[in-house]
Amino acid sequence: MEGTARWIGSIGFRQPELQAKLSTVVEVNCGVALVLGAATPLAASAVVGTMAVAARTMHAPNGFFIVEEGSARLSLAACVPWSSGAAGVLSST
């Protein structure tokens, strides 16, 4: 967690320790929730939100392709939980 907090601080976040803990909690717990199918729209929204922050802070200035620290893989990582979360809402009649 220390290394993650240092890295988060190096990219400009003001409270890197807090951000590292929150990111870890969201990514692990919401990932498990998605796998189990529990609270899917909420869990998917939290993961997409985390990916949106990553896209804005790190990937937007570096281009789309991952070879240049871009956002191609990040876009996929955000779209998969979004589509999972939307599936339940969109398919209910």
Side-chain angles (χ1 to χ4, degrees):
M1 188 74 66
E2 254 180 57
T4 302
R6 266 194 312 275
W7 179 77
I8 289 174
S10 76
I11 61 171
F13 283 91
R14 286 182 269 177
Q15 296 181 344
E17 294 84 11
L18 176 63
Q19 185 65 39
K21 288 176 186 174
L22 290 174
S23 294
T24 300
V25 167
V26 166
E27 290 178 20
V28 171
N29 291 331
C30 291
V32 169
L34 284 172
V35 168
L36 296 177
T40 306
L42 180 63
S45 296
V47 173
V48 169
T50 301
M51 294 300 104
V53 171
R56 176 70 177 104
T57 58
M58 284 302 297
H59 295 280
N62 294 310
F64 183 76
F65 294 105
I66 197 65
V67 295
E68 298 173 12
E69 297 297 322
S71 59
R73 188 177 72 186
L74 178 72
S75 298
L76 177 63
C79 288
V80 170
W82 176 83
S83 63
S84 299
V89 174
L90 297 176
S91 64
S92 62
T93 56

